[in-house]
Amino acid sequence: PIDSHSTLTHTLPLVSKQFYKLTRRCDLHWKWALLRLVRNEPMLWEVGMERVIFDARCDEIRAEIGERGRARRAAATAAPASTTATAGRSR
């Protein structure tokens, strides 16, 4: 007979959910583990961590460039409207 409340289908998902709730807002657990790994095995972890940091910095730069582009486009679309309104008043 098959138990309808087996560990894999009922208990494990609840444990996983609780673990996720505990760790989703706090990088502290992962931070110390990664620091220990980098310190103990630098040859294995340094390159990977550098790539992650580089990728994160690239994402930050990409987002900043995108924001500047959006601000410029918004200013460019607002400028013709204000010059048209000003031109209409001077007539």
Side-chain angles (χ1 to χ4, degrees), residues 37-54:
L37 287 169
V38 170
R39 185 179 59 248
N40 293 339
E41 301 172 313
M43 296 301 291
L44 295 175
W45 292 95
E46 271 186 58
V47 174
M49 293 303 294
E50 287 172 358
R51 286 182 185 164
V52 168
I53 292 167
F54 177 77

Side-chain angles (χ1 to χ4, degrees), residues 2-48:
I2 297 175
D3 181 14
S4 63
H5 298 307
S6 72
T7 303
L8 288 176
T9 59
H10 288 78
T11 306
L12 189 58
L14 294 175
V15 171
S16 296
K17 189 179 217 179
Q18 290 301 318
F19 182 75
Y20 173 73
K21 285 180 182 178
L22 287 171
T23 60
R24 71 177 168 187
R25 294 189 183 151
C26 182
D27 290 337
L28 182 64
H29 306 293
W30 306 114
K31 177 183 176 183
W32 293 114
L34 282 172
L35 288 173
R36 185 180 63 247
L37 287 169
V38 170
R39 185 179 59 248
N40 293 339
E41 301 172 313
M43 296 301 291
L44 295 175
W45 292 95
E46 271 186 58
V47 174

